Amino acid sequence: MSDPRAQGIACLAGIAPWKRKRLAAMLCNAHPPIFANTATRAVKAARARGGAIACWASRVPAGLEAQAVEAGVPIWWIEDGFVRSAGLGAALVPPCSLTLDSRRPYYDASGPSDLEVMLQTRDFTAAEIARADALLARLREAAVTKYNLAGPLPDLPPGRRVVLVIGQVEDDRSVLLGGMGLSMAELLARARAEEPDAFLIYKPHPDVVAGLRSGALAAPEADLVLPHADLPRLLDRVDIVHTLTSLAGFEALVRGRQVVVHGAPFYAGWGLTRDHAAPARRTRRRTLAELAAAALIAYPLYADPVTGRPCTPEQLVEALARTGPRISRASIAARLAAWHVGRRARER
Protein backbone atom coordinates (compact mmCIF):
# COMPACT_ATOMS: atom_id res chain seq x y z
CA MET A 1 0.00 0.00 0.00
CA SER A 2 3.06 2.23 -0.10
CA ASP A 3 2.62 5.47 -2.06
CA PRO A 4 4.71 5.55 -5.26
CA ARG A 5 6.01 8.99 -4.32
CA ALA A 6 7.72 7.54 -1.26
CA GLN A 7 9.70 5.02 -3.32
CA GLY A 8 11.95 7.71 -4.77
CA ILE A 9 12.98 9.21 -1.42
CA ALA A 10 16.62 8.58 -0.54
CA CYS A 11 17.08 10.81 2.50
CA LEU A 12 14.98 12.59 5.13
CA ALA A 13 16.13 16.04 6.25
CA GLY A 14 15.00 18.41 8.97
CA ILE A 15 13.04 15.73 10.84
CA ALA A 16 12.65 16.14 14.60
CA PRO A 17 13.84 13.01 16.47
CA TRP A 18 10.37 12.24 17.90
CA LYS A 19 8.90 12.06 14.37
CA ARG A 20 11.56 9.85 12.83
CA LYS A 21 10.13 6.41 13.57
CA ARG A 22 6.72 7.29 12.12
CA LEU A 23 8.14 9.00 9.03
CA ALA A 24 10.58 6.18 8.36
CA ALA A 25 7.69 3.72 8.36
CA MET A 26 5.66 5.90 6.00
CA LEU A 27 8.38 7.05 3.59
CA CYS A 28 11.32 4.64 3.63
CA ASN A 29 9.90 1.27 2.63
CA ALA A 30 12.51 0.31 0.03
CA HIS A 31 15.57 0.77 2.24
CA PRO A 32 16.57 1.84 5.77
CA PRO A 33 16.18 5.58 6.26
CA ILE A 34 18.99 8.08 6.23
CA PHE A 35 18.33 11.14 8.36
CA ALA A 36 20.41 14.23 7.69
CA ASN A 37 20.58 17.47 9.66
CA THR A 38 22.93 19.27 7.27
CA ALA A 39 22.53 20.15 3.62
CA THR A 40 25.85 18.56 2.65
CA ARG A 41 24.99 15.19 4.19
CA ALA A 42 21.49 15.20 2.75
CA VAL A 43 22.67 15.92 -0.79
CA LYS A 44 25.49 13.38 -0.56
CA ALA A 45 23.10 10.65 0.63
CA ALA A 46 20.54 11.46 -2.05
CA ARG A 47 23.13 11.38 -4.82
CA ALA A 48 24.57 8.10 -3.55
CA ARG A 49 21.15 6.46 -3.59
CA GLY A 50 19.92 8.19 -6.72
CA GLY A 51 16.81 9.61 -5.13
CA ALA A 52 15.17 12.68 -3.66
CA ILE A 53 15.45 14.47 -0.35
CA ALA A 54 12.23 14.72 1.66
CA CYS A 55 12.44 17.68 4.01
CA TRP A 56 10.14 18.96 6.73
CA ALA A 57 9.16 22.35 5.38
CA SER A 58 9.69 24.33 8.58
CA ARG A 59 13.09 22.76 9.41
CA VAL A 60 15.13 23.19 6.23
CA PRO A 61 18.90 22.79 6.82
CA ALA A 62 20.85 25.90 5.84
CA GLY A 63 21.83 25.91 2.17
CA LEU A 64 19.84 22.81 1.27
CA GLU A 65 17.90 24.23 -1.67
CA ALA A 66 20.97 25.77 -3.32
CA GLN A 67 23.09 22.62 -2.89
CA ALA A 68 20.28 20.38 -4.11
CA VAL A 69 19.79 22.46 -7.25
CA GLU A 70 23.52 22.44 -7.97
CA ALA A 71 23.66 18.65 -7.54
CA GLY A 72 20.48 18.01 -9.50
CA VAL A 73 18.75 16.43 -6.50
CA PRO A 74 14.99 16.96 -6.16
CA ILE A 75 13.42 18.05 -2.86
CA TRP A 76 10.03 16.93 -1.67
CA TRP A 77 8.38 19.08 1.00
CA ILE A 78 6.80 17.34 3.99
CA GLU A 79 4.05 18.76 6.17
CA ASP A 80 1.25 17.46 8.39
CA GLY A 81 -1.80 16.18 6.59
CA PHE A 82 -5.35 17.32 7.18
CA VAL A 83 -6.51 14.45 9.41
CA ARG A 84 -3.47 14.29 11.60
CA SER A 85 -3.85 12.66 15.01
CA ALA A 86 -5.61 12.55 18.35
CA GLY A 87 -3.49 15.27 19.93
CA LEU A 88 -1.20 18.14 19.00
CA GLY A 89 2.03 18.03 17.08
CA ALA A 90 3.41 20.71 19.39
CA ALA A 91 2.76 18.24 22.23
CA LEU A 92 4.93 15.67 20.36
CA VAL A 93 2.03 13.47 19.19
CA PRO A 94 3.31 11.75 16.00
CA PRO A 95 1.44 12.50 12.77
CA CYS A 96 -0.83 9.91 11.16
CA SER A 97 -0.91 11.79 7.86
CA LEU A 98 1.61 13.69 5.80
CA THR A 99 1.60 15.79 2.68
CA LEU A 100 4.46 15.26 0.24
CA ASP A 101 4.83 17.97 -2.39
CA SER A 102 7.39 18.27 -5.19
CA ARG A 103 6.81 22.02 -5.70
CA ARG A 104 6.31 23.72 -2.33
CA PRO A 105 4.39 23.25 0.92
CA TYR A 106 0.64 23.38 0.25
CA TYR A 107 0.25 26.52 2.38
CA ASP A 108 2.82 28.56 0.43
CA ALA A 109 0.60 30.86 -1.65
CA SER A 110 3.55 32.40 -3.53
CA GLY A 111 3.12 29.78 -6.26
CA PRO A 112 1.24 26.60 -7.09
CA SER A 113 1.77 23.46 -5.03
CA ASP A 114 1.10 19.94 -6.29
CA LEU A 115 -2.27 20.17 -4.52
CA GLU A 116 -3.18 23.40 -6.29
CA VAL A 117 -2.14 22.00 -9.67
CA MET A 118 -4.27 18.93 -9.01
CA LEU A 119 -7.29 21.08 -8.20
CA GLN A 120 -6.70 23.32 -11.21
CA THR A 121 -6.17 20.57 -13.79
CA ARG A 122 -7.36 17.13 -12.72
CA ASP A 123 -10.70 15.61 -13.73
CA PHE A 124 -11.91 13.19 -11.06
CA THR A 125 -13.80 10.03 -12.00
CA ALA A 126 -17.30 9.22 -10.79
CA ALA A 127 -15.80 6.54 -8.54
CA GLU A 128 -13.39 9.04 -6.98
CA ILE A 129 -16.22 11.50 -6.33
CA ALA A 130 -18.37 8.78 -4.77
CA ARG A 131 -15.47 7.78 -2.51
CA ALA A 132 -14.94 11.41 -1.48
CA ASP A 133 -18.63 11.87 -0.70
CA ALA A 134 -18.59 8.76 1.49
CA LEU A 135 -15.45 9.96 3.29
CA LEU A 136 -17.00 13.39 3.91
CA ALA A 137 -20.13 11.78 5.33
CA ARG A 138 -18.04 9.61 7.67
CA LEU A 139 -15.96 12.59 8.83
CA ARG A 140 -19.17 14.39 9.75
CA GLU A 141 -20.73 11.36 11.40
CA ALA A 142 -17.63 10.51 13.46
CA ALA A 143 -16.83 14.19 14.23
CA VAL A 144 -13.21 13.65 13.13
CA THR A 145 -11.00 16.72 12.62
CA LYS A 146 -7.27 17.40 12.30
CA TYR A 147 -6.34 17.10 15.97
CA ASN A 148 -9.49 15.52 17.51
CA LEU A 149 -9.45 17.41 20.79
CA ALA A 150 -12.45 17.42 23.11
CA GLY A 151 -13.81 20.30 25.15
CA PRO A 152 -17.02 21.76 26.60
CA LEU A 153 -19.48 23.81 24.55
CA PRO A 154 -21.51 26.45 26.42
CA ASP A 155 -25.03 27.54 25.59
CA LEU A 156 -25.11 30.09 22.77
CA PRO A 157 -27.69 32.89 22.51
CA PRO A 158 -30.81 31.72 20.66
CA GLY A 159 -32.07 33.73 17.73
CA ARG A 160 -28.79 35.53 17.00
CA ARG A 161 -26.46 35.08 14.06
CA VAL A 162 -23.33 33.36 15.38
CA VAL A 163 -19.93 34.05 13.82
CA LEU A 164 -16.83 31.99 14.59
CA VAL A 165 -13.37 33.51 14.13
CA ILE A 166 -10.55 30.97 14.05
CA GLY A 167 -7.32 31.92 15.80
CA GLN A 168 -3.94 30.76 14.55
CA VAL A 169 -0.29 30.92 15.62
CA GLU A 170 0.92 34.18 14.12
CA ASP A 171 4.47 32.99 13.44
CA ASP A 172 3.25 29.74 11.87
CA ARG A 173 4.47 29.33 8.30
CA SER A 174 0.94 29.00 6.92
CA VAL A 175 0.14 32.45 8.34
CA LEU A 176 3.44 33.97 7.23
CA LEU A 177 3.16 32.58 3.68
CA GLY A 178 -0.58 32.75 3.14
CA GLY A 179 -2.03 35.16 5.68
CA MET A 180 -1.55 38.36 3.69
CA GLY A 181 0.31 39.98 6.58
CA LEU A 182 -2.75 40.08 8.83
CA SER A 183 -2.61 39.53 12.58
CA MET A 184 -5.26 37.74 14.63
CA ALA A 185 -6.35 41.11 16.03
CA GLU A 186 -6.82 42.43 12.50
CA LEU A 187 -8.76 39.31 11.53
CA LEU A 188 -11.09 39.82 14.49
CA ALA A 189 -11.56 43.49 13.62
CA ARG A 190 -12.41 42.57 10.03
CA ALA A 191 -14.93 39.97 11.13
CA ARG A 192 -16.59 42.42 13.53
CA ALA A 193 -16.75 45.09 10.82
CA GLU A 194 -18.49 42.63 8.47
CA GLU A 195 -20.79 41.30 11.19
CA PRO A 196 -21.49 44.25 13.53
CA ASP A 197 -24.67 42.78 15.04
CA ALA A 198 -23.68 39.12 15.27
CA PHE A 199 -22.62 37.13 18.32
CA LEU A 200 -18.90 36.74 17.65
CA ILE A 201 -16.90 33.82 19.05
CA TYR A 202 -13.11 33.67 18.97
CA LYS A 203 -11.45 30.25 19.19
CA PRO A 204 -7.68 30.49 19.82
CA HIS A 205 -5.37 27.91 18.29
CA PRO A 206 -4.96 24.76 20.45
CA ASP A 207 -1.15 25.16 20.54
CA VAL A 208 -1.56 28.67 21.99
CA VAL A 209 -4.17 27.50 24.49
CA ALA A 210 -1.90 24.67 25.63
CA GLY A 211 0.98 27.11 26.15
CA LEU A 212 3.07 25.41 23.48
CA ARG A 213 3.20 28.41 21.12
CA SER A 214 3.02 32.17 21.65
CA GLY A 215 0.11 34.32 20.56
CA ALA A 216 -2.39 34.84 23.39
CA LEU A 217 -4.91 37.53 22.45
CA ALA A 218 -7.32 39.63 24.52
CA ALA A 219 -9.91 39.58 21.67
CA PRO A 220 -11.97 42.63 22.75
CA GLU A 221 -14.17 42.41 19.63
CA ALA A 222 -15.38 38.93 20.61
CA ASP A 223 -18.52 38.35 22.63
CA LEU A 224 -17.10 35.02 23.77
CA VAL A 225 -13.68 33.36 23.72
CA LEU A 226 -13.84 29.56 23.58
CA PRO A 227 -10.35 28.12 24.03
CA HIS A 228 -11.42 24.52 24.65
CA ALA A 229 -14.65 23.99 22.71
CA ASP A 230 -15.13 20.81 20.71
CA LEU A 231 -14.67 22.05 17.14
CA PRO A 232 -17.14 19.78 15.27
CA ARG A 233 -19.93 20.56 17.76
CA LEU A 234 -19.08 24.24 17.64
CA LEU A 235 -19.15 24.28 13.83
CA ASP A 236 -22.59 22.71 13.94
CA ARG A 237 -23.81 25.68 16.01
CA VAL A 238 -22.42 28.64 14.07
CA ASP A 239 -23.70 30.36 10.92
CA ILE A 240 -20.41 31.45 9.37
CA VAL A 241 -16.65 31.12 9.93
CA HIS A 242 -13.95 33.74 9.35
CA THR A 243 -10.35 32.61 9.01
CA LEU A 244 -6.95 33.46 7.55
CA THR A 245 -5.53 30.09 6.50
CA SER A 246 -6.69 27.69 9.20
CA LEU A 247 -7.67 24.14 8.31
CA ALA A 248 -10.73 24.81 10.46
CA GLY A 249 -12.08 26.69 7.44
CA PHE A 250 -11.89 23.50 5.39
CA GLU A 251 -13.49 21.57 8.26
CA ALA A 252 -16.28 24.16 8.30
CA LEU A 253 -16.88 23.54 4.59
CA VAL A 254 -17.04 19.80 5.29
CA ARG A 255 -19.83 20.54 7.77
CA GLY A 256 -21.78 22.81 5.47
CA ARG A 257 -20.90 26.16 6.99
CA GLN A 258 -20.30 29.40 5.10
CA VAL A 259 -16.61 30.36 5.17
CA VAL A 260 -15.04 33.80 4.69
CA VAL A 261 -11.32 33.56 3.95
CA HIS A 262 -9.03 36.55 4.51
CA GLY A 263 -5.84 34.75 3.47
CA ALA A 264 -4.95 32.24 0.76
CA PRO A 265 -5.26 28.66 2.08
CA PHE A 266 -5.43 25.69 -0.27
CA TYR A 267 -9.24 25.53 -0.13
CA ALA A 268 -9.81 29.16 -1.19
CA GLY A 269 -10.37 30.31 -4.75
CA TRP A 270 -12.36 27.32 -6.01
CA GLY A 271 -15.83 28.82 -5.63
CA LEU A 272 -16.60 27.26 -2.24
CA THR A 273 -15.63 30.20 -0.01
CA ARG A 274 -16.05 33.97 0.08
CA ASP A 275 -12.51 35.14 -0.60
CA HIS A 276 -10.65 38.34 0.17
CA ALA A 277 -7.23 37.31 -1.16
CA ALA A 278 -7.34 33.99 -3.05
CA PRO A 279 -4.73 33.71 -5.85
CA ALA A 280 -6.16 34.79 -9.22
CA ARG A 281 -4.47 31.83 -10.90
CA ARG A 282 -7.04 29.49 -9.30
CA THR A 283 -9.74 29.65 -11.97
CA ARG A 284 -11.37 26.22 -11.77
CA ARG A 285 -14.71 25.92 -9.96
CA ARG A 286 -14.80 22.86 -7.73
CA THR A 287 -17.40 20.97 -5.70
CA LEU A 288 -16.76 20.02 -2.09
CA ALA A 289 -16.42 16.38 -3.13
CA GLU A 290 -13.76 17.30 -5.72
CA LEU A 291 -11.87 19.34 -3.11
CA ALA A 292 -12.02 16.38 -0.73
CA ALA A 293 -10.96 13.92 -3.44
CA ALA A 294 -7.80 15.95 -3.89
CA ALA A 295 -7.03 17.14 -0.36
CA LEU A 296 -8.10 14.07 1.62
CA ILE A 297 -7.55 11.15 -0.75
CA ALA A 298 -5.13 11.80 -3.62
CA TYR A 299 -2.67 14.22 -1.99
CA PRO A 300 -1.82 13.02 1.57
CA LEU A 301 -0.20 9.86 2.85
CA TYR A 302 -1.72 8.10 5.87
CA ALA A 303 -0.46 5.81 8.61
CA ASP A 304 -2.20 3.57 11.12
CA PRO A 305 -1.89 5.24 14.57
CA VAL A 306 -0.93 1.92 16.21
CA THR A 307 1.37 0.21 13.71
CA GLY A 308 2.60 3.31 11.87
CA ARG A 309 2.27 1.47 8.57
CA PRO A 310 0.61 3.06 5.52
CA CYS A 311 -3.18 2.97 5.45
CA THR A 312 -6.11 4.61 3.65
CA PRO A 313 -7.85 7.79 4.86
CA GLU A 314 -10.95 5.69 5.59
CA GLN A 315 -8.93 3.37 7.83
CA LEU A 316 -7.43 6.30 9.73
CA VAL A 317 -10.83 7.93 10.23
CA GLU A 318 -12.18 4.68 11.67
CA ALA A 319 -9.16 4.37 13.98
CA LEU A 320 -9.62 7.93 15.24
CA ALA A 321 -13.37 7.39 15.62
CA ARG A 322 -12.69 4.35 17.83
CA THR A 323 -10.14 6.29 19.87
CA GLY A 324 -12.46 9.27 20.35
CA PRO A 325 -11.38 12.88 20.91
CA ARG A 326 -8.54 13.55 23.32
CA ILE A 327 -8.94 16.10 26.08
CA SER A 328 -5.87 18.32 26.07
CA ARG A 329 -3.93 19.11 29.24
CA ALA A 330 -4.96 22.74 28.90
CA SER A 331 -8.61 21.73 28.71
CA ILE A 332 -8.27 19.53 31.78
CA ALA A 333 -6.58 22.37 33.67
CA ALA A 334 -9.33 24.77 32.66
CA ARG A 335 -12.03 22.38 33.82
CA LEU A 336 -10.29 21.84 37.17
CA ALA A 337 -9.90 25.59 37.65
CA ALA A 338 -13.59 26.14 36.88
CA TRP A 339 -14.54 23.38 39.34
CA HIS A 340 -12.45 24.96 42.12
CA VAL A 341 -13.94 28.40 41.41
CA GLY A 342 -17.44 26.93 41.57
CA ARG A 343 -16.69 25.08 44.78
CA ARG A 344 -15.38 28.22 46.47
CA ALA A 345 -18.46 30.12 45.34
CA ARG A 346 -20.73 27.43 46.79
CA GLU A 347 -18.85 27.46 50.08
CA ARG A 348 -19.34 31.20 50.58
Side-chain angles (χ1 to χ4, degrees):
M1 195 182 294
S2 175
D3 191 285
R5 291 171 292 177
Q7 298 306 310
I9 292 173
C11 175
L12 296 172
I15 311 300
W18 61 273
K19 294 179 182 176
R20 290 184 176 184
K21 182 177 179 181
R22 175 63 54 82
L23 266 66
M26 294 176 73
L27 298 176
C28 299
N29 300 297
H31 42 65
I34 292 178
F35 293 97
N37 289 326
T38 68
T40 299
R41 182 158 188 252
V43 170
K44 182 179 179 180
R47 290 192 68 182
R49 287 187 166 184
I53 299 167
C55 183
W56 201 273
S58 60
R59 295 172 58 94
V60 184
L64 177 64
E65 293 180 79
Q67 289 192 38
V69 168
E70 183 178 356
V73 173
I75 299 177
W76 289 77
W77 302 103
I78 309 173
E79 262 298 343
D80 284 331
F82 309 131
V83 180
R84 184 192 184 280
S85 56
L88 299 173
L92 308 188
V93 177
C96 293
S97 70
L98 300 172
T99 63
L100 193 61
D101 202 294
S102 67
R103 290 178 170 86
R104 56 178 42 80
Y106 68 84
Y107 51 73
D108 184 352
S110 66
S113 64
D114 290 348
L115 177 56
E116 181 179 317
V117 170
M118 187 186 303
L119 285 165
Q120 182 69 22
T121 63
R122 181 165 167 174
D123 293 319
F124 294 96
T125 67
E128 289 172 323
I129 295 303
R131 182 184 177 189
D133 274 327
L135 180 59
L136 287 167
R138 186 60 182 133
L139 285 170
R140 290 188 287 264
E141 180 185 36
V144 168
T145 61
K146 181 176 181 177
Y147 294 120
N148 301 288
L149 298 174
L153 184 63
D155 292 333
L156 300 179
R160 288 191 66 182
R161 180 173 170 83
V162 179
V163 176
L164 174 61
V165 180
I166 301 296
Q168 294 180 251
V169 181
E170 291 192 349
D171 63 355
D172 188 81
R173 286 174 60 83
S174 72
V175 174
L176 296 176
L177 295 174
M180 304 298 127
L182 295 172
S183 67
M184 292 304 108
E186 290 168 327
L187 173 63
L188 266 168
R190 281 185 167 206
R192 176 51 79 194
E194 291 192 21
E195 301 275 2
D197 301 320
F199 187 82
L200 196 150
I201 299 170
Y202 179 65
K203 190 178 190 308
H205 192 278
D207 286 348
V208 175
V209 174
L212 301 170
R213 302 281 294 274
S214 61
L217 185 67
E221 289 89 355
D223 296 295
L224 181 64
V225 177
L226 287 181
H228 307 295
D230 181 289
L231 183 59
R233 291 174 59 211
L234 180 57
L235 289 172
D236 287 340
R237 298 285 302 279
V238 306
D239 296 292
I240 192 166
V241 173
H242 283 251
T243 185
L244 278 182
T245 64
S246 174
L247 186 66
F250 175 65
E251 292 170 342
L253 289 176
V254 169
R255 288 158 178 85
R257 300 281 77 83
Q258 299 178 43
V259 179
V260 179
V261 183
H262 299 262
F266 73 88
Y267 53 84
W270 310 110
L272 297 168
T273 53
R274 177 150 61 88
D275 302 318
H276 285 270
R281 62 180 180 269
R282 299 177 186 174
T283 59
R284 190 94 178 251
R285 301 302 88 181
R286 287 299 196 177
T287 65
L288 179 60
E290 288 172 327
L291 179 62
L296 295 178
I297 297 175
Y299 184 60
L301 289 72
Y302 293 93
D304 183 277
V306 176
T307 67
R309 301 303 299 172
C311 71
T312 66
E314 292 88 350
Q315 289 169 329
L316 176 58
V317 168
E318 292 308 317
L320 292 173
R322 288 193 301 270
T323 302
R326 175 175 295 182
I327 300 175
S328 68
R329 292 180 182 178
S331 180
I332 294 171
R335 291 184 184 195
L336 287 173
W339 182 83
H340 284 296
V341 169
R343 186 186 67 175
R344 287 196 296 269
R346 290 190 296 271
E347 290 173 348
R348 289 193 184 101

